[in-house]
C-alpha cells in the first residue's frame, strides 16, 4: 500500500535501511519502456497499490514481459485481470503465478495482508452476477482487505437480503453488483451506513440492453452514498473499495 | 362465402352490376361479415366501462361537444383525462362536471359503485410521483373499485414500505409508480402475490432521461407478475387495474 | 418501539450488552418485526404456484441440484426455462423431467390442472414469434390454465386475425406477441374486452433494433388495457396471465 | 474527353493559359458537360410542379422577397409551408396570398386543377395528428389532386377504419399519419392495394420519444408497399403522393 | 397483376370462360390453414401481386409446404426472399425453382412480363451495397418491370453519378441504396423528377451504427419526393417501386 | 455523524446523560406520516447523517412541514437542496433557515464541525460547472468536512491543473466535476492517490447531449479509484465524500 | 532524477524535511520538470492566436473583467463568442468592442491581417445554417484569413453547388456546414482537394434529433479528407481552419 | 501528391516531356466501369493522392481487378485498407504487393518520398489502440510523410505523456487515438499548437458502447484545434493528416 513507501522512508529515518537501499526500493524511473507498453512503475509511489495488468487484448507473451519488468523493479504483488486459462497456462511456464479461475485474475507474488479499516461486503443480485463479484472480491483481497461475499440476494426475494442485515450494517464498504433492473444498489444504499459502490452487470436480455438498464438505474439511485463504476467492472469496484477501506489521516 | 362470390359473378354476367363494382365487391369480401356491433356491445356490457376522453390537445369546446354526444347516447360516466383547470372552468358552464384537480381528471356523471374482486393499492416511491398516482387512483375509483393509496415509500427507506406489508399482501392489484431508478416495482413484485402494474414516471434529472431509466428498470424487473405501461400513464394503469379487478368467468 | 429501545439502553447501561451491539440493535429495529414467513405463506397458499428456475447461464449440474432441493421440499411442479436440449439430456439422467423442446422449458413434476377463470389466448404476429409464444403457452398451461394458441395472424393480413374474433372476444386474458412494428398489441387491445399482455420480440432486422421498435410501439399503444413485459419474455407473460386468470376474492 | 485535355495541354505549352488554369480545367473536366438546364427543364415541364418555400426560420420579409422573385419568373403556384398567422398578415400586405390556417400553408397564385390518376386518401390515427394531415392534404390539393380526408380512425377502434374500406380500396395513393405506436400504417398497408406513404407524428408522451416510436414502427411495417417520410413531414408526404398520382409513361 | 382478376371478370362477361371456371379461378378461401402459417391467398386479389415468402427463419421444409399450397391455389409467381443456397438445394428437389444467388431470392413459377409505365432504376453508393440492390432488382423484375442497374456511383466521386444523368432523368421510379452517410438519396432526389425510394444499408462501421446513420440521413433528406424503407430492405423497395410503376386509373 | 448516536450511547454508558435523556435523543418512530410524505426519521440512526429534503417539486409549505417534523423529532441539521430564493423567502417566515444562494441549499440548524479524516477537494473543469460544485461543497461542509475548492482547471490548459499538484496529492477525497468531454475525472484519477468521485454536468451543447458525453466518459475512465454519480448531482457527491472522509473502525 | 530523490532521502535522514514532506516530494517528482511556460510560449509565438472567451453562461461583468485582464497582458485581439446583443451593450460601456451581430461574436482589438496560405471557403446547405457559418467566418477572419462565403447550396439542388466548382477547387480549407441529412460534407469532400471541416447543425426537425442525423452522416462520410467538429460549433471550425491555413515548416 | 499532376504540366511546359507523354500520364477517362465497380480515375487529379481501395467486403478477385484497372491507368501507389492476410496471399499471386500486417494495409507500387511540411505524430492512449494507429501511420507514410509513433501514453498516467512534450510541440499534425473515455484528444489538444485529428476507437467494454463514449468525448473537446473522424478510422486520419501536412500556396 501507499504506506509501503511511507515505511521505506520511516525505515530510512530510523536507520533500519541504508540510504542506497531506500533509493533502490523507490523506483528510479517513472516507467520502463518495453516497446509496446509503457509500464507505469511510478503509480505504486503515487497510489501505493499493487500494480495491475489489464489482460484482455494482450498476448500471454506480452503479459509475461510486462509482469517480469514489474517484478524486476521490485513490485511484490501484480494483478493480471481478465486473464483466461489458456494464457495462464502459457504464463505459468515462465512466471510464478496463481490463477483465480472464477475471477479470471492471475496474481504474481502474494496477496497483501488484510490491514483495512473494516470489512468489504460483496453482494450480488443473482447467480449470473457472480463472475463480476469474484473479480471484485479477489481484487480487494489481493490489495489487503477482509472480504465477505453474499450472493444471489436480489430484491425480488427481499427476505433473503434482509436476513443479512447484520452484515450490511457492519460493513465498511459495500460493493453491490446486479444486472437486469439493478435495484439492489438502491435497496442496500438505503439500509447501509457506509459507502456503496454499485456495479451494473451485462446480465439480462431484451431491454436490459447489455447492462444499460442496470447502469441507468444505479446512477438514478434515490439512496445517498451510492456511486457507480462501468458495467461489469468488478476490478474497479474492488480497487476503489480497498482505497476507501484504507483511508488514513494525511499530514 | 363461395355462393356470395358466385352471385357477384352471376350479377356481372347478367349485367346487373358493372365490372368495376364486381371487382370492388370481391376485394371487400373478407371484411364484410365482421360484426363490430358485437365488439362494441361486448365492451359496454362486460366492462360497463365509462367512456374516456383524452383532454390534452383538445379545446374546451371540442371536449364539451364530445362529452355531450356521449351523454346523449346514454353514457353515465365520462372521464376526461389530462384536463387543466382553465378548460374545466369553461366546460362546467355547459356541463355538469366534477374536477379532480390533483389528478387532472374531470368526470361527467357519477363514479361507479365499487364492485371489484378486491382492493387496488396505488403506491409511489416519492412525493413527486403523486400526480401520476392521483390519475391512476381517480380512474380506478371512477370505474368502480376500492382504492387504497400509499405514497412516498421508496426503497431508499425500506421500513416505510415494509411497515405496510399487510396492505401489500391484501391487495388484489397493485399499481407501483416510481421515477428515477424505478426499483419500487421489483421490490413490490417480490413481496406481493397479485398482479403488479408498474408505471415509470418522468420524475428525476440527469441520467433519468425523462423516465427512460425507470422504464427500463421496470421492464427488466426480476420479479414475476410485473408488467409495464407508458411513462406517466397513470390513467392506463388505473384502467387496466380495474379490468383485472373485475375479472369474471366467461361462458 | 419506544419501550424496546429503552430496554436496549438499559441493557447497555447495565453492561448486559456492548456499545456496538446496542448500536446495531437500534439500527435494525424497524426491520425486525417484518414477518416474511407471512409473505411466503401467502404466495404458496394463494398462488400454489410452481417454482421456476431460469436455466440460462446455469450448468446442468447446478439446475439439477436446485431442482432436487425444491423437490425435496415438497414442490410438485418445477419449471426450468431457457433450457436447451443438451442440458436436458444431462438432467434427465438424474431427475424425472419432461422437455418441451419448442418452448425450451423443462418440467419436473406435473403440470397443474386447469382451474382458471377462463381461457388464455396466445397470439403471434408471425411464424418467427412462435418460440416466444411456446414459452408463454407452456408456462401458462403448467400453472393450471386452459390455453388457446393462434399464430401468424399479423396485422398486415387483418382478415386472418378478424376471422378469430370469437376467440378474442371469449378470452379471459390475451398474450399478444409480435416483433417488427408490434402493431398486433394495439389492434387486439382495441378488439378485446380483457387484459392484454404485450410481448415484444427481437424478430426483425434493421430498424427493429433487436426488439426496440416493437417495445416502444407496444408501450405507446393507444388501446387501453394493454401492458408490456420485457422483449422475448414469454415466461413472464405466461406467468402474469395465469395470475390474472386466477384472480379471486381476498378476505 | 481525351482530345479536350490535349487541347488544354497544347494551350499550356503554347502559353495561352497558365499552369494553374490548366490544372483547374483538368480538375473540372468531368463536371463540365453536365446539362443541368436539362434537369430543370425536366422538372418544370413534366411535373409542372408548384415552387415551395419552407417558411420556418425565414422572416416575413425574406419570404415575400423569394415569392416575388418566383412570381416574376412566371411561377403560377407558390406554396409557403410552416407559415404562421403573424407572418401571413405581414406578407399579405405585399402579395396576393391565401392562408390555410390549419395546414400552416400560404399559397401565392392558384391551386392546380386536379388531373391525377386517381384519389389521394389522407388518413390519421387520432385528432392530434390532424395538423400534419392538413399540411399533407393542402399540399396535394395545390399540386392538382383529388384529396379525400379520413381522420381519427386509429387501430384501437378498428371498426371506424374498416367502415371506410371502400375509400381505402379505391384510393390511388394513401397517406397514413399517426403518432404514438404508429400501427395505422401497417394495418392500412395490409388492406390497400396502392402505395402507402407513412408519416410518423410527434404526438404522444413518455416512451413515444417525440415520434421515434411511430417512426420505428412504420419503418418495420410488415406490410409491403409502405414507405416512410420524416416525423411530422406532412408536406413531403403530400408532395410525393402527388408525384405518384401523376405517374405517366416516359419516352 | 390486379388486372388478372379484372381479366377473369372480363372473360366471364365476354363468355370466354364459364361462371364455374371464373369462380374456381377466384380463390375461394381468403387463406389456407397449413397449421404453422396462414398463407394469405387473398392478397393476390387485393393487391394483385405475386405472393412472397420471407425465407429467413423458415426451414426448407416449411418453405416448400407454403409454396406448394400457394401453387396449388393457382399462384403463378412466388418469390422466396432471404433464401440461402443450402435451403434452395433442398427445395429444388421438390419444387421447380430458380435461384438468384446474389439476390438471395428463389422464384417458383415465372417472372412476369414487363408491363409497367416506365423503367425502374436501381442505384447504389458502393459495391458493398450491391446485395441489397440485387434483392430490389430481382424483386422488381419478377413483378413485371424493366429494371436498370447502376452501381458504385456514390457521392464522393460525383462525376460517376452525373455521367448517368440521362438514366436518372428517364427513370419512372428510382431506388437509391446506400450505407455509411446515405447522401446518395438526397443527391438523386434533387436531380430526378420521379419518386425516389431510399434504402439505407448496414454497410459501414463505427458511427454508422448498423445503418442508423444512413437511415437518419435519408429521413432528413432535403430533397422532395424521397421516402424511406427499412435498413437493407431491398425487397420492400423493389415491391413498392413496382407498385408505383403500375399505377393505373381506378374507376 | 453516525458517531452522534454512538456518542449518546457512550455518554449513557459513562453516566454523562440519563437514560431518559438518551431515549429522548434517539428518535422514537422509524418515520412520521404527514399526509403527502413519509418522513424517514430512522435514517439518522442508520446513516448518522444530517437529514436531507430534496426541494425540487415540493412547495414551500410542504418543505416547511417536513422540516418541522424532522426538527420536532430532534434533528439538529437539515439540508434542503435544489431550493430557490422564492421558496426560501416563504420558508424563512416559519423556520430559522440559512440560504446558500449559489449552492441552492437551505440549512435549518447548524453546519457540523469539521471532524473528517482529511480534506475534501472540489475541482471543476470550467466556470459553468461551479453551481454543481457549490452544491457539493456546501453539502460536504454542512456534514462536517474541511473543503477546498479549485475551479476552472479543465484539461485543455493542463498547467492550471498541474500547478495545484500539492492540493491534489494531499486531498483525502476528490470531487471532480466537469461537463463537455468530462476528461477531468480521468486526469485527476491518474494523479491522485485517493478516491475520486466524478460528477458529470449538463454543461455543453450539441453532442454533449445534456451531460451524456461527460457521463459516459467518466464511467469509462481508464484511471482506477474513480466512481460516478448522476449528472449534476453535486449533493450526492458531497454526501458520499463526507461518508468516505468519516470512515472509522467498526467493532 | 535519481540524484534528486537521493537528495530528498538524505534531507529526510538528516531531519531537514519531515517524513510527510519527503513523501509528497517523491510523489510530485515526475511532474515537476514540465516546462509549461514553453507550452504557452509556443502557442503565443507560433500561432499568434487571438485569445477567446466563450460568452455563454458568463455575465457581461465577468466577460468585461476577463477581457480587460487579457488586454492588460498585451493581447491585441480578443474574441468573445456566443455573445448576445444585451450583453454587448453593457460591455461596450467599459470596453472598445466591435459586435458582429449575425455571428454573435464581439471583438476587442483588431482583426488580424490575412496572412494564410490560401483562402478559406465557408459553405452552407441552407439559409438556416447561416448563423453557424457567420460564427465560423468571423472567427477565421479575425484570426487572419481570407474568407469566402457560399451559402444555401445544399445537395438537393446540385447545380447551385457545381456552379461554384472553381471556388471549391481553389480553396485551401473548406468549412462545410449543414443540418438535416448533412450530405453537403461528403459531396464537397469528393470534389475538393483540400481539408474539409464538417460542421453539423441542429437545423431540422423530427428525425434530425437536434443535429444527430447530420453529425452521424458527416462522421460516416465516404469522402476522404473530411473531419468533424461538434454540432453548431462554428467557432471551432473557423479556429481549426485558420490553424491549417497557417501551416508552416517547423525546425 | 497533387503536385504529381502539377509536375507533369510543369515538365510539359518546360519541354521535359512531350505532349503525348503528358497526355498519357494524365488519365483519359474520369472513371473505369468494371462491372461491379466504377473505379474513380479522376480522384488522383482532383485530390492528387494515391488511390485507395477499401478492402473489407470485397473479394481478393475484386480487389485485384480494381487495382489492375488503376495500375493500367498509370496509378503509381495504390493502398488497400482493411486487408486480411488470407486475401493478401491470393492477391500477391497476381500483383506485386507489399503487406503491412499490423496495419492491415497492402500497397501496390511504392510509398511516396516524405515531402511534407513537418512531422506527423501518431499517439495512442493504450496498447489496444495500436492497430488503428498502425493503419494511420502506414497510410501517412505511404502518402509521403515523416511519421513518429508514441503509444500507450493515456491520461491516467500523465507523466508518460508529458515526458514527450517536445515531440508534441514539434509535430505539424497530431493524430490522437483513444478508446474508453477518449480524454487523450483534449489533453493533447490543450498542449499542442498544431491541428489534432482525434480518432475514437472501439476499445473498451460496458458503457464504452463500441466507441460511442470516446466519440462523444472527442466531439465535445474543450480544446480548440481538434476535429474528429469515424470510430476506428485510422486510414481517414492518416489521409487527412497527410493532406494538412502538404498544404501549399494555391494561385
Amino acid at each position: 500500500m501507499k504506506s509501503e513507501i511511507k515505511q521505506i522512508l520511516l525505515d530510512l529515518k530510523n536507520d533500519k535501511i541504508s540510504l542506497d537501499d531506500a533509493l533502490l526500493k523507490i523506483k528510479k524511473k517513472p516507467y520502463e519502456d518495453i516497446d509496446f507498453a509503457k509500464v507505469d512503475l511510478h503509480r505504486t509511489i503515487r497510489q501505493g497499490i499493487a500494480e495491475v495488468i489489464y489482460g484482455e487484448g494482450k498476448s500471454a507473451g506480452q503479459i509475461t514481459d510486462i509482469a517480469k519488468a514489474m517484478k524486476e523493479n521490485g513490485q511484490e504483488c501484480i494483478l493480471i485481470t481478465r486473464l483466461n486459462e489458456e494464457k495462464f497456462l502459457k504464463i505459468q511456464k515462465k512466471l510464478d503465478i496463481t490463477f483465480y479461475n472464477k475471477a479470471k485474475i492471475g496474481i504474481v507474488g502474494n496477496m497483501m495482508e488484510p490491514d483495512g479499516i473494516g470489512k468489504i461486503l460483496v453482494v450480488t443480485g443473482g447467480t449470473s452476477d457472480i463472475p463480476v463479484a469474484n473479480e471484485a472480491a479477489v481484487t480487494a483481497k489481493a490489495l489487503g482487505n477482509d472480504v465477505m461475499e453474499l450472493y444471489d440476494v436480489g430484491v425480488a426475494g427481499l427476505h433473503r437480503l434482509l436476513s443479512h442485515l447484520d452484515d450490511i450494517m457492519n460493513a465498511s464498504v459495500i460493493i453491490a453488483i446486479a444486472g437486469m433492473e439493478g435495484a439492489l444498489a438502491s435497496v442496500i444504499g438505503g439500509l447501509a451506513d457506509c459507502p456503496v459502490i454499485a456495479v451494473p452487470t451485462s446480465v439480462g436480455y431484451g431491454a436490459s440492453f447489455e447492462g444499460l438498464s442496470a447502469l441507468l438505474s444505479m446512477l438514478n439511485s434515490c439512496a445517498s452514498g451510492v456511486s457507480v463504476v462501468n458495467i461489469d467492472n468488478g476490478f474497479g469496484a474492488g480497487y476503489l473499495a480497498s482505497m476507501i477501506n484504507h483511508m488514513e489521516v494525511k499530514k
Side-chain angles (χ1 to χ4, degrees), chain A:
Chain A
M1 303 302 301
K2 174 181 63 250
S3 46
E4 202 183 324
I5 304 291
K6 210 171 178 175
Q7 192 58 50
I8 297 168
L9 297 184
L10 214 59
D11 288 352
L12 171 69
K13 207 163 167 54
N14 297 338
D15 292 322
K16 290 191 181 162
I17 57 171
S18 72
L19 195 146
D20 278 346
D21 283 355
L23 193 58
L24 203 76
K25 286 187 175 216
I26 294 170
K27 281 75 207 157
K28 290 142 278 194
K29 299 160 294 178
Y31 56 86
E32 181 100 317
D33 199 324
I34 53 166
D35 186 32
F36 57 87
K38 308 258 174 317
V39 183
D40 190 346
L41 295 170
H42 194 261
R43 186 152 68 175
T44 313
I45 299 179
R46 286 201 323 285
Q47 305 199 340
I49 213 79
E51 196 55 60
V52 181
I53 302 169
Y54 182 67
E56 198 154 296
K58 295 199 183 71
S59 70
Q62 289 177 314
I63 294 170
T64 307
D65 289 352
I66 299 174
K68 273 190 177 167
M70 286 173 173
K71 216 179 156 190
E72 279 156 21
N73 276 282
Q75 193 67 42
E76 284 170 27
C77 175
I78 302 161
L79 266 79
I80 304 156
T81 62
R82 310 248 163 149
L83 184 71
N84 59 32
E85 190 152 14
E86 192 192 329
K87 289 183 193 171
F88 158 67
L89 292 172
K90 288 183 187 161
I91 296 170
Q92 74 166 354
K93 289 175 188 165
K94 313 225 169 151
L95 270 174
D96 197 18
I97 178 173
T98 313
F99 187 49
Y100 296 81
N101 184 50
K102 286 179 192 162
K104 301 286 173 216
I105 291 182
I107 293 186
V108 177
N110 301 308
M111 285 195 165
M112 297 180 179
E113 284 302 303
D115 61 351
I117 295 174
K119 275 185 186 161
I120 294 175
L121 179 65
V122 181
V123 191
T124 75
T127 55
S128 308
D129 304 314
I130 294 180
V132 176
N134 282 327
E135 193 185 79
V138 171
T139 298
K141 281 177 200 163
L143 301 180
N145 298 277
D146 266 332
V147 175
M148 193 174 161
E149 290 161 87
L150 183 55
Y151 296 160
D152 194 24
V153 292
V155 299
L158 209 53
H159 52 294
R160 292 180 302 179
L161 182 64
L162 292 181
S163 66
H164 291 87
L165 260 185
D166 279 14
D167 298 326
I168 292 168
M169 283 175 174
N170 282 327
S172 283
V173 189
I174 300 178
I175 299 175
I177 302 172
M180 300 170 81
E181 91 277 60
L184 186 72
S186 289
V187 170
I188 288 184
L191 293 171
D193 62 341
C194 70
V196 174
I197 302 168
V199 189
T201 71
S202 53
V203 168
Y205 62 91
S208 83
F209 295 124
E210 308 291 315
L212 178 64
S213 169
L215 171 62
L216 291 181
S217 184
M218 287 168 167
L219 283 166
N220 283 287
S221 174
C222 47
S224 297
V226 177
S227 64
V228 187
V229 296
N230 198 359
I231 297 164
D232 293 334
N233 189 6
F235 163 73
Y239 184 104
L240 176 56
S242 173
M243 209 181 227
I244 295 174
N245 196 34
H246 285 87
M247 288 291 292
E248 58 184 52
V249 182
K250 287 191 181 181
K251 278 211 174 156

